[in-house]
Amino acid sequence: MTAWWREAAIYQVYVRSFADGNGDGVGDLIGVRDRLPYLKDLGVDAVWLTPFFTSPMADFGYDVADYRDVDPLFGTLADAKALIDEAHDLGLRIIVDIVPNHTSSAHRWFQEALKGEGRQRYHFRDRPNDWESIFGGPAWTQVEDGQWYLHLFDKEQPDLNWDDPEVRAEFDSILRFWLDLGVDGFRIDVAHGMVKPHDLPDIGHSDQIRMIGADVVPYFDNDAVHDIHRHWRHILDSYPGERIGVAEAWAPSPERLALYIRPDELHQAFNFHYLSTPWDAAELRRAVDESLATAASVGAPATWVLSNHDVKRHVTRYGSLARARAAALLTLALPGSAYVYQGEELGLPEVLDLPEEVRRDPQRLRDPDSGRDGCRVPLPWSRDLGWRRPWLPIPPAWGELSVEAQQGAEGSTLELYRSALRLREHLTGDLRWLDAPEGTLVFARGDVVCAVNLTGAPVDFGLTGDLLLSTDVPGAPDSAAWWKVK
């Protein structure tokens, strides 16, 4: 029997924007629990929840003040337990976000450090080096007694020192707390971070953000981080039911990324290379081949993702809903595990015209275009948009993209995803590329063929058999279709 995670479809819930269960305009755990039947009906296997822990929300929950409790904005620990149990009753698994690279500056440990106690848990120095924050500006902030502390993200997110045994023991305990509560795994934020070189060397130039994922930087992807993931794998394996670890890891090469998903480390790593590939047949084929080869080199499944809470939605990145729908059929036909970001099943675009007064993402301070608020606008559940005073305004035009508007509507993006996720379970075997006209991709898995036209003109693929699913008339510009062939 194949391990569930090797071919799973996993739905990402950005909790504060998914469903509002108490009418305060912010999504919460009650809202997620209420919508579990929707996710079951959509056809996914598991649900990944972004952080809902106690937090001042400087970075929307990725600044954790208490890893063992739920922020009142999102509910209670009892709500979390009820959500996990009800998901299991429906046959859905729950993956929670863990944030081990840094805490909130409001965390008890950091508050003690400001008083001079336990500073070894963080990176304090008498003089800073030249490292830059991912959110822009220096990665160091000075405290009252003159020392400086490291924060690779917001100044309210001080980096933990993973050379300290107390830090390691604390996260062992945190993982076991949530595993004991019943979660099925963890998405590990900044899984490539955590370990820093002891001498904290200078990099020697600025604009370091452009190096991440392309060049070697001293604060990411250090070899010793794998010792942590190996240890965590032992913890995961000590629980029944195949609990998993999913790495959010940026590495300078496919070979370095593969190290995170060796058989004794984590189970999956997000495929940012595929996500960032443009709408081009040759480029996408190269990304698919490289991804499959990288995963196969360590016996892991490939993991596919088109959008998430940190990037512009792919309707906007690709330039049209037609391309986004075709990309969905391409992605869901590939062997391995696939992630669906909330709202992509509705064909939601990026919201590019949010008023400045409502934008709150700290990353926008790096430069205006890097803000992530536009992909985090709350989901439209009904034509009247269904939220009271949503924390970010929902565009009025989204009423016709709502779940209510698309449910049962032939040809809608929601019904396309439902059909694809249902049929996806019957796709088996390795990918085999077939001859294809220029600017197109055609491949088979078993007796199912996926044909994608990435050109602006109609194409005759010459396929015969049963048409299983199509985003448009087969062969239309920027379309995709699945065929069952003999």
Side-chain angles (χ1 to χ4, degrees), residues 57-284:
M57 302 295 164
D59 189 19
F60 298 104
Y62 284 93
D63 50 319
V64 181
D66 186 345
Y67 290 85
R68 295 180 183 83
D69 205 355
V70 174
D71 194 275
L73 187 67
F74 298 134
T76 66
L77 202 54
D79 292 327
K81 177 59 175 169
L83 167 57
I84 294 165
D85 290 346
E86 191 160 325
H88 289 166
D89 289 343
L90 289 169
L92 295 169
R93 290 176 166 88
I94 294 292
I95 297 167
V96 299
D97 229 312
I98 201 76
V99 188
N101 180 71
H102 47 263
T103 70
S104 165
S105 57
H107 192 283
R108 174 179 60 85
W109 278 3
F110 193 75
Q111 289 301 302
E112 291 173 359
L114 292 179
K115 300 172 185 173
E117 304 167 15
R119 285 193 176 180
Q120 75 280 356
R121 299 163 176 157
Y122 297 90
H123 293 277
F124 277 84
R125 281 182 58 152
D126 292 332
R127 283 192 289 275
N129 61 17
D130 68 354
W131 294 359
E132 295 175 352
S133 164
I134 307 301
F135 290 167
W140 297 88
T141 291
Q142 193 170 28
V143 298
E144 285 188 2
D145 65 8
Q147 279 205 310
W148 301 74
Y149 69 88
L150 175 67
H151 54 89
L152 289 176
F153 294 87
D154 191 82
K155 67 180 181 180
E156 295 180 58
Q157 294 168 288
D159 279 52
L160 287 162
N161 174 18
W162 275 83
D163 289 331
D164 181 48
E166 190 177 3
V167 171
R168 297 192 179 221
E170 172 69 356
F171 274 87
D172 284 2
S173 174
I174 290 165
L175 295 184
R176 291 187 184 280
F177 176 87
W178 289 102
L179 289 166
D180 289 340
L181 211 65
V183 303
D184 299 282
F186 302 97
R187 177 265 191 186
I188 302 166
D189 187 61
V190 197
H192 55 295
M194 299 142 83
V195 174
K196 314 299 191 293
H198 293 161
D199 56 348
L200 302 181
D202 282 339
I203 292 178
H205 59 81
S206 59
D207 204 16
Q208 296 162 14
I209 185 66
R210 298 185 183 278
M211 300 174 64
I212 294 171
D215 297 298
V216 175
V217 291
Y219 46 76
F220 283 157
D221 193 41
N222 287 283
D223 286 339
V225 78
H226 297 287
D227 295 334
I228 299 170
H229 298 317
R230 222 169 267 121
H231 177 68
W232 285 9
R233 178 62 180 261
H234 284 304
I235 294 176
L236 290 165
D237 286 349
S238 72
Y239 284 78
E242 292 190 281
R243 319 290 178 99
I244 70 167
V246 183
E248 184 215 21
W250 292 87
S253 70
E255 293 76 20
R256 292 292 301 182
L257 184 63
L259 299 180
Y260 291 85
I261 48 174
R262 288 177 287 190
D264 63 343
E265 290 197 37
L266 302 174
H267 299 74
Q268 297 180 346
F270 289 118
N271 192 339
F272 296 120
H273 180 196
Y274 179 75
L275 180 151
S276 59
T277 301
W279 187 247
D280 176 87
E283 292 288 334
L284 280 166

Side-chain angles (χ1 to χ4, degrees), residues 158-458:
D159 279 52
L160 287 162
N161 174 18
W162 275 83
D163 289 331
D164 181 48
E166 190 177 3
V167 171
R168 297 192 179 221
E170 172 69 356
F171 274 87
D172 284 2
S173 174
I174 290 165
L175 295 184
R176 291 187 184 280
F177 176 87
W178 289 102
L179 289 166
D180 289 340
L181 211 65
V183 303
D184 299 282
F186 302 97
R187 177 265 191 186
I188 302 166
D189 187 61
V190 197
H192 55 295
M194 299 142 83
V195 174
K196 314 299 191 293
H198 293 161
D199 56 348
L200 302 181
D202 282 339
I203 292 178
H205 59 81
S206 59
D207 204 16
Q208 296 162 14
I209 185 66
R210 298 185 183 278
M211 300 174 64
I212 294 171
D215 297 298
V216 175
V217 291
Y219 46 76
F220 283 157
D221 193 41
N222 287 283
D223 286 339
V225 78
H226 297 287
D227 295 334
I228 299 170
H229 298 317
R230 222 169 267 121
H231 177 68
W232 285 9
R233 178 62 180 261
H234 284 304
I235 294 176
L236 290 165
D237 286 349
S238 72
Y239 284 78
E242 292 190 281
R243 319 290 178 99
I244 70 167
V246 183
E248 184 215 21
W250 292 87
S253 70
E255 293 76 20
R256 292 292 301 182
L257 184 63
L259 299 180
Y260 291 85
I261 48 174
R262 288 177 287 190
D264 63 343
E265 290 197 37
L266 302 174
H267 299 74
Q268 297 180 346
F270 289 118
N271 192 339
F272 296 120
H273 180 196
Y274 179 75
L275 180 151
S276 59
T277 301
W279 187 247
D280 176 87
E283 292 288 334
L284 280 166
R285 178 165 175 166
R286 190 175 302 116
V288 168
D289 283 341
E290 185 177 273
S291 301
L292 291 172
T294 298
S297 71
V298 289
T303 304
W304 311 102
V305 58
L306 288 169
S307 285
N308 63 33
H309 66 292
D310 284 334
V311 299
K312 282 188 171 58
R313 289 185 175 274
H314 60 276
V315 168
T316 300
R317 292 200 325 272
Y318 290 147
S320 72
L321 177 59
R323 290 180 174 181
R325 285 161 55 93
L329 285 200
L330 164 63
T331 302
L332 293 175
L334 295 170
S337 179
Y339 281 75
V340 175
Y341 178 49
Q342 65 175 49
E344 74 171 76
E345 79 277 17
L346 304 177
L348 298 184
E350 186 83 0
V351 181
L352 299 173
D353 58 354
L354 286 169
E356 181 57 37
E357 61 269 20
V358 305
R359 295 172 185 255
R360 294 166 60 188
D361 177 22
Q363 186 170 290
R364 80 190 191 285
L365 302 177
R366 188 175 78 207
D367 63 81
D369 192 51
S370 68
R372 299 165 294 179
D373 296 295
C375 64
R376 301 174 175 184
V377 172
L379 246 59
W381 288 99
S382 59
R383 280 190 169 91
D384 67 5
L385 303 180
W387 289 66
R388 303 177 205 164
R389 307 178 308 280
W391 73 279
L392 284 174
I394 305 174
W398 279 18
E400 291 308 307
L401 296 177
S402 65
V403 173
E404 179 187 29
Q406 296 196 44
Q407 190 122 7
E410 186 177 353
S412 72
T413 302
L414 176 57
E415 295 303 330
L416 177 75
Y417 267 78
R418 280 185 176 151
S419 297
L421 287 164
R422 185 177 66 251
L423 289 168
R424 182 177 182 271
E425 297 178 0
H426 303 291
L427 270 64
T428 58
D430 296 333
L431 178 148
R432 293 181 293 109
W433 293 110
L434 304 178
D435 291 339
E438 186 175 355
T440 72
L441 296 172
V442 181
F443 62 88
R445 291 188 61 207
D447 60 358
V448 175
V449 170
C450 175
V452 189
N453 179 9
L454 295 93
T455 75

